[in-house]
Amino acid sequence: MNEAANPGIVFWVLSAIILVTGFMVVSLKNIFHCAIALVLCLSGVAGIFVLLGAEFLAGAQVLIYVGAVAILMIFGVMLTSNLAGKKIIATTSNAMVAFFATVLFGGGTIVTIFMTDVWRYSSESLPIDNVMFIGKLLMTEFMLPFEVVSVLLLAAMIGAIVLARDEES
Amino acid sequence: MTENAYLIPLLPFIGFVMIVFALRWKEKVAAGFSIAMILSSWVFSIIVLIETIGRDGAPYEAFFYITSFDTLNFEIGILIDSLTAMMLIVVSTVASCVQIYSLGYMKDDPRFSRFFAYLSLFCFSMLGLVIANNFFMIFIFWELVGLTSYLLIGFWFEKKSASDAGKKAFITTRIGDLGMIVGLLLIAGGCGTFNYNEIFSSVAAGTLSPTMLTTGLIFLFAGAVGKSAQFPLHVWLPDAMEGPTPVSALIHAATMVVAGVYLVARAMPLFESSATASMVVAIIGITTSVMAASIGLVQNDIKRVLAYSTVSQLGYMIMALGLYGYDTAMGEHSPGYYAGTFHLMTHAFFKALLFLGAGSVIHAVHTNNIQEMGGLLPKMKITAWTFMIASLSISGIFPFAGFWSKDEIVATASTHPVFMFFTLAVAFMTAFYMWRLCFLTFWGKPRDQHRFDHAHESPRSMSWPLAFLGILAVGAGWVGMPWLKAGFASFVYSGEAYKPHADYMLMGVSTVVAVSGIGLAWLMYAKQVISPDKMVARFKPIHKLLLNKYYFDEIYDFIIIRPVLAFGRYMWTFDARIVDGLVNGVAWLVMIWSDIKMWFDKWIIDGAVNGAGWVISSTSSLLRLVQTGAVQFYALFILASIVILAVVKYEVVYNDVSWPVLSIILLAGLYLLSLVSKSVAEKAKTAAAATATDSGEEEK
Amino acid sequence: MVQYLTLAAILFSIGLFGVITRRNTIGILMSLELMFNAANINLVTFNKFIAPETLTGQMFAIFVVVVAAAEATVGLAIVLLVYRNWRGISTDNFSILKW
């Protein structure tokens, strides 16, 4: 239970990285900078995953989000290029209200977290070979969700193609 | 046939209904149908008369319907006795002649078929009146004949004098009718029935006190006074001459006006029990007779002379009946009843003939004024001769019909010296004015050459009824010759049949009186030995009095019409001031009240409704700001809602905060959101406008 | 454990703030990724401390990643459409569905 009570120095470092870069993602005006900050942030999250013993997830996180962010960057550059030279207003007018609301929301959540004192901690530990276990689960217990998600991905892909297809060509 | 006697009045009614509903557009057919109906009635009447004579005058009574209210019985039925049979013959004969005569007389009238419809309705009413077996029915038909009389007097209602005359006739007779209904209710109410025979037997048994009976009879007689144009309600009859001449002949000479006489004759068993009432009847009769005859002396309108003659002769009949009732009440024998009814019959024939003849003359010369006629004898032979036959008859010259009946009236009056004197005076005056009329109209030189040239004999449809009536005017009296064993007197009687005997003294006296009257007229108007102008100059005040008809119209105007009008005006003022004031005041109050209500409606009710609407619309115009279209705002909204709900939940669960506080928090949150959304909306609008401008520029 | 949860809460709030405030549609997508990751952190955390033996939390996280990928795909396609129609990807461009 030591781990649960005190996550250690690595966690704090990663947390600092995640929060700082996360805040940069939502506040920087240049969308390209945002994307870079997002990469750092997600990497931090991957680190957290490793800390939490989800090595497969951490790997997948890095692989998927690197690709995803690359594409985001391309899009961001491509679609905002014609705005160059104009004054960029990055945030909407209700930023202050949104800030207070989110602070209240987050504060409320945190307060709730800290006020909850009956965590039913498990004495068990995670399986050693994380990846093999996940693979087994995917092929057995989570067979149906796995297939459904595959169909979902396919549908999303086709949908994206249909949506983005240039009508004229 | 007697069992089916109800057909006699019903047939003309069918004629009336058919004309009104089916035949009114086919004038010839309508007239033909009407005449066919009345001729059928006439034939039936003759059969009924023969059957009644065969029964020796025994009454036949039939009931069709009887109902009673409380103690008073009403019934519908017919009574055929000798009097009814005689009346049926008189009415249907004259009506048939008049209807045929009207074919020619009304030929060019635009309301030809309507005229025949009215005539048919009148025949129905009159025949129904004489065939009724009770006073209730007689009253109904009494009013019906009054109505048809009104309709026919005012037949040419475009003429104001005609419509006025119609109204005058109707209103004047109604005064009498009011008395009649009072009398009927006194008598019939006392006896508990309207039926003639039941009333008679009841009165004979002494149900009614003598005072009651006398009062009732005098009131009942008021009806007869009105209908038969007796003093003082005689004023309508001369004016009724405004109607078409056939109407005057049928209604205002032969039939309707004798309804009063018929009523007195019908109620004779009652008058026999009341000497006072009978004497009143006799006095009214002779007064009327003298007055009307004297007025007739000086009138120049041919129809008015005949009208006053009619009034005078009706007075004769009434007087005879009244004297009969008085004598019988005094326990003496009198020929009055038979004299009155006999004269009724003969008078109907010769007076109808006189009127139809006068109509023929008017038809020829287009004037009523006898001063503009003269010398018509060669041009209108049938008319002139029949007219003079009728004149001889009314004057009482042997052996014409009038001689026999008038002789009986004189015989009736002979026991009462005063009545005797006036009766003979009337006989003299009658002979004089009738022959004045004849001489002025048919003899001498034409006084108006233009009118004379246009004169011509009337068509056959008019002259044949004249001829037929002429025969009756001579022969109708022969049934009442005193030498007959079973004459009129032994047929129509009340109580005990009177045995007439020939009184040659009286015959001689009345003939002398009549001849002297005719002679005076001959001297004055044919020979012109005595100048009428000198006579006028000598008796100037009397002449003026007579010419103005004793100023009856003026007196009534002064005594009745003016006070009534003044009262009417006073009531009008009352109406205008008080009643209208009240009505207007109420209306004013209502208006004020409705003003108040309008104000209340406008400001309170509408205010509430509009206020509700305003609250809703303003609230929703505030709330719709939330719908900004900016997706992120929705996200913010959701977030804010979650936060607020969480806070509320937290407060409720952990701090037990009261609801007002929570409401305030919620409202504050909403207000905050609306403010935000407003700013969002404005900015979005400007941004959208900017984008629109941008895109617009790009398109260029 | 509460430290992990707190981190996730803060990260989620940051993402939420971004979703609400970013004008750039791609920025919104990025913020969404942050929120997904915050959720994933929670899932993995609970998996480790509450129910480590079944790995259900990690499985859920994997599915979340997949769904996020699908979401990003569709989202990017929509962004492309928006760009084609309005020559821009600011959210101001499509705030016309109102009133």
Side-chain angles (χ1 to χ4, degrees):
Chain A
M1 288 306 102
N2 184 32
E3 224 177 341
N6 188 10
I9 190 70
V10 185
F11 168 77
W12 296 114
V13 173
L14 285 174
S15 293
I17 292 169
I18 289 167
L19 293 181
V20 169
T21 52
F23 196 73
M24 284 163 73
V25 167
V26 298
S27 57
L28 288 180
K29 287 183 179 172
N30 193 324
I31 197 74
F32 190 72
H33 296 165
C34 289
I36 291 167
L38 186 62
V39 168
L40 281 172
C41 180
L42 294 179
S43 306
V45 173
I48 292 289
F49 285 164
V50 171
L51 272 184
L52 289 170
E55 293 88 359
F56 173 76
L57 203 52
Q61 170 96 351
V62 171
L63 285 174
I64 290 168
Y65 279 111
V66 165
V69 169
I71 290 170
L72 279 176
M73 280 194 292
I74 292 165
F75 268 87
V77 172
M78 192 176 73
L79 299 181
T80 54
S81 60
N82 65 338
L83 291 174
K86 286 189 182 173
K87 187 175 186 259
I88 296 166
I89 305 160
T91 56
T92 51
S93 56
N94 42 22
M96 285 308 289
V97 181
F99 181 76
F100 283 120
T102 15
V103 165
L104 271 174
F105 179 79
T109 316
I110 291 161
V111 165
T112 315
I113 289 166
F114 277 94
M115 280 173 69
T116 311
D117 44 6
V118 277
W119 301 104
R120 289 176 295 144
Y121 292 114
S122 172
S123 53
E124 305 279 322
S125 60
L126 286 164
I128 305 302
D129 43 356
N130 181 266
V131 179
M132 191 187 79
F133 205 86
I134 285 172
K136 273 184 184 171
L137 280 178
L138 278 177
M139 289 299 132
T140 56
E141 202 174 327
F142 290 89
M143 187 66 180
L144 186 64
F146 182 71
E147 296 297 335
V148 170
V149 153
S150 314
V151 175
L152 174 70
L153 267 179
L154 182 65
M157 190 171 71
I158 296 170
I161 292 167
V162 169
L163 278 175
R165 198 164 57 100
D166 201 346
E167 302 280 333
E168 286 127 40
S169 59
Chain B
M1 187 58 227
T2 309
E3 302 81 51
N4 295 323
Y6 58 87
L7 281 176
I8 295 171
L10 216 55
L11 286 172
F13 186 69
I14 292 168
F16 166 72
V17 171
M18 284 296 287
I19 292 171
V20 167
F21 289 105
L23 304 171
R24 56 194 302 188
W25 307 117
K26 304 188 178 87
E27 294 187 340
K28 288 268 157 19
V29 182
F33 192 76
S34 174
I35 289 169
M37 286 297 127
I38 191 66
L39 282 177
S40 313
S41 289
W42 180 58
V43 172
F44 289 166
S45 302
I46 291 172
I47 299 170
V48 165
L49 178 66
I50 292 165
E51 286 183 2
T52 311
I53 291 170
R55 285 204 312 277
D56 235 358
Y60 167 84
E61 195 169 5
F63 302 94
F64 299 110
Y65 179 73
I66 302 179
T67 183
S68 64
F69 296 101
D70 200 14
T71 57
L72 194 55
N73 287 325
F74 291 87
E75 57 194 32
I76 295 173
I78 58 173
L79 173 72
I80 311 279
D81 62 0
S82 49
L83 182 62
T84 299
M86 187 271 287
M87 286 299 291
L88 285 176
I89 283 290
V90 169
V91 172
S92 59
T93 308
V94 177
S96 304
C97 291
V98 164
Q99 290 211 3
I100 294 167
Y101 177 89
S102 302
L103 274 180
Y105 191 84
M106 302 298 288
K107 199 170 65 195
D108 302 323
D109 197 275
R111 293 190 289 273
F112 188 76
S113 45
R114 182 193 292 199
F115 185 75
F116 278 92
Y118 286 167
L119 282 186
S120 289
L121 184 59
F122 171 77
C123 292
F124 159 66
S125 318
M126 192 66 210
L127 292 167
L129 192 153
V130 298
I131 212 170
N133 76 332
N134 59 70
F135 282 111
F136 180 66
M137 270 174 80
I138 216 176
F139 183 73
I140 290 173
F141 285 112
W142 190 272
E143 294 301 328
L144 262 176
V145 292
L147 169 71
T148 44
S149 161
Y150 162 77
L151 289 173
L152 284 164
I153 293 170
F155 187 71
W156 288 321
F157 51 78
E158 301 94 336
K159 257 183 9 186
K160 187 169 186 320
S161 58
S163 63
D164 282 353
K167 279 182 267 183
K168 187 173 180 180
F170 197 69
I171 293 166
T172 313
T173 50
R174 284 229 52 87
I175 295 170
D177 295 348
L178 182 66
M180 180 179 172
I181 199 165
V182 171
L184 275 186
L185 290 176
L186 281 176
I187 296 171
C191 298
T193 178
F194 280 105
N195 186 279
Y196 298 147
N197 292 325
E198 289 171 21
I199 285 181
F200 298 156
S201 49
S202 173
V203 168
T207 312
L208 296 172
S209 68
T211 325
M212 180 86 150
L213 182 64
T214 305
T215 319
L217 281 176
I218 289 174
F219 272 118
L220 188 67
F221 179 62
V225 166
K227 200 59 97 186
S228 287
Q230 297 298 295
F231 171 85
L233 297 178
H234 64 279
V235 289
W236 66 271
L237 188 59
D239 283 8
M241 296 304 132
E242 291 290 347
T245 307
V247 171
S248 308
L250 175 60
I251 299 181
H252 306 121
T255 57
M256 189 190 83
V257 288
V258 302
V261 182
Y262 171 77
L263 181 69
V264 175
R266 183 50 85 194
M268 190 48 76
L270 304 180
F271 283 102
E272 282 168 5
S273 325
S274 173
T276 320
S278 300
M279 197 31 103
V280 168
V281 171
I283 289 170
I284 293 278
I286 192 66
T287 312
T288 310
S289 191
V290 172
M291 175 208 70
S294 57
I295 294 173
L297 292 176
V298 297
Q299 295 297 315
N300 281 329
D301 184 320
I302 184 168
K303 284 180 75 180
R304 273 176 190 270
V305 174
L306 293 177
Y308 280 108
S309 162
T310 307
V311 175
S312 166
Q313 299 299 311
L314 290 169
Y316 251 19
M317 301 171 206
I318 295 279
M319 180 202 75
L321 291 174
L323 285 179
Y324 170 80
Y326 180 77
D327 285 347
T328 313
M330 292 293 147
E332 292 170 27
H333 282 291
S334 166
Y337 188 79
Y338 131 73
T341 48
F342 187 30
H343 196 60
L344 187 160
M345 182 179 79
T346 55
H347 170 261
F349 293 137
F350 60 67
K351 187 52 65 69
L353 175 56
L354 282 171
F355 266 105
L356 294 185
S360 184
V361 170
I362 293 165
H363 193 65
V365 299
H366 298 290
T367 180
N368 282 8
N369 193 340
I370 50 175
Q371 300 295 349
E372 295 175 23
M373 300 175 189
L376 290 170
L377 182 58
K379 284 216 159 191
M380 309 177 69
K381 283 211 169 66
I382 299 175
T383 307
W385 284 115
T386 50
F387 196 90
M388 284 190 287
I389 286 169
S391 298
L392 286 172
S393 189
I394 195 174
S395 306
I397 301 298
F398 180 86
F400 296 95
F403 171 77
W404 308 105
S405 54
K406 188 171 279 186
D407 193 53
E408 293 307 322
I409 289 175
V410 174
T412 309
S414 61
T415 50
H416 305 270
V418 180
F419 284 98
M420 179 67 177
F421 171 74
F422 283 117
T423 307
L424 289 176
V426 169
F428 175 79
M429 286 190 282
T430 306
F432 176 78
Y433 66 67
M434 281 315 301
W435 282 93
R436 170 176 173 264
L437 199 60
C438 284
F439 290 135
L440 283 175
T441 308
F442 297 111
W443 292 28
K445 290 189 188 125
R447 280 179 295 278
D448 189 324
Q449 194 61 41
H450 176 71
R451 292 192 189 281
F452 178 77
D453 291 342
H454 278 78
H456 56 86
E457 183 55 278
S458 301
R460 275 183 198 170
S461 66
M462 288 166 72
S463 53
W464 283 21
L466 291 180
F468 181 72
L469 283 172
I471 295 166
L472 285 177
V474 180
W478 296 348
V479 298
M481 280 193 272
W483 305 293
L484 289 178
K485 274 255 169 358
F488 194 90
S490 58
F491 181 55
V492 179
Y493 56 85
S494 170
E496 208 177 312
Y498 179 78
K499 291 272 179 286
H501 53 90
D503 189 333
Y504 299 104
M505 236 286 282
L506 277 179
M507 284 186 190
V509 168
S510 67
T511 308
V512 165
V513 166
V515 168
S516 57
I518 296 170
L520 183 60
W522 184 69
L523 286 175
M524 280 173 73
Y525 296 102
K527 275 283 176 192
Q528 296 183 322
V529 178
I530 306 166
S531 166
D533 295 336
K534 273 189 185 165
M535 292 289 280
V536 169
R538 186 172 295 174
F539 301 106
K540 198 169 175 83
I542 297 172
H543 179 261
K544 203 176 168 196
L545 186 67
L546 294 180
L547 201 60
N548 286 300
K549 309 151 200 167
Y550 294 104
Y551 296 100
F552 265 110
D553 285 336
E554 286 75 9
I555 290 165
Y556 285 166
D557 184 59
F558 187 76
I559 295 179
I560 297 169
I561 297 173
R562 273 161 205 258
V564 166
L565 281 178
F567 183 68
R569 265 192 287 278
Y570 168 73
M571 290 308 281
W572 178 82
T573 323
F574 181 80
D575 245 26
R577 296 273 160 76
I578 313 294
V579 178
D580 284 12
L582 269 175
V583 172
N584 290 341
V586 169
W588 184 80
L589 278 177
V590 168
M591 276 177 65
I592 293 292
W593 173 237
S594 46
D595 273 352
I596 293 170
K597 280 177 78 174
M598 189 190 75
W599 183 89
F600 183 81
D601 254 24
K602 200 171 173 181
W603 297 107
I604 310 298
I605 307 286
D606 284 11
V609 173
N610 291 340
W614 179 84
V615 166
I616 288 167
S617 80
S618 56
T619 315
S620 42
S621 69
L622 191 68
L623 279 178
R624 75 171 191 178
L625 296 176
V626 171
Q627 191 88 0
T628 56
V631 185
Q632 287 163 299
F633 179 76
Y634 299 159
L636 173 62
F637 204 98
I638 293 165
L639 175 64
S641 306
I642 289 168
V643 169
I644 288 168
L645 283 176
V647 168
V648 168
K649 165 103 179 169
Y650 178 80
E651 291 292 319
V652 171
V653 171
Y654 294 100
N655 291 3
D656 200 14
V657 167
S658 58
W659 284 104
V661 179
L662 291 178
S663 322
I664 290 166
I665 292 170
L666 271 171
L667 284 174
L670 278 173
Y671 176 68
L672 190 68
L673 278 175
S674 67
L675 276 184
V676 171
S677 62
K678 205 168 185 178
S679 65
V680 167
E682 276 163 11
K683 292 222 171 135
K685 212 181 275 175
T686 46
T691 320
T693 325
D694 286 352
S695 60
E697 278 166 6
E698 272 175 31
E699 277 167 20
K700 278 173 190 173
Chain C
M1 190 184 85
V2 288
Q3 295 84 347
Y4 292 99
L5 295 180
T6 309
L7 169 68
I10 294 169
L11 187 61
F12 187 88
S13 298
I14 290 170
L16 190 57
F17 177 75
V19 165
I20 293 171
T21 54
R22 288 308 297 236
R23 261 171 207 277
N24 196 315
T25 328
I26 290 172
I28 292 171
L29 285 177
M30 289 177 182
S31 308
L32 270 177
E33 297 299 340
L34 291 186
M35 289 166 77
F36 277 121
N37 275 289
N40 274 353
I41 289 173
N42 262 11
L43 286 172
V44 175
T45 307
F46 283 126
N47 178 59
K48 175 165 168 64
F49 294 107
I50 306 294
E53 64 280 359
T54 57
L55 276 187
T56 318
Q58 289 192 20
M59 292 306 297
F60 251 96
I62 289 166
F63 287 123
V64 167
V65 168
V66 175
V67 171
E71 175 266 335
T73 319
V74 179
L76 280 172
I78 291 171
V79 168
L80 253 179
L81 269 180
V82 169
Y83 178 76
R84 272 205 206 121
N85 282 334
W86 283 284
R87 297 279 142 202
I89 52 172
S90 170
T91 51
D92 295 341
N93 291 327
F94 44 99
S95 66
I96 55 169
L97 187 71
K98 60 185 173 184
W99 297 318

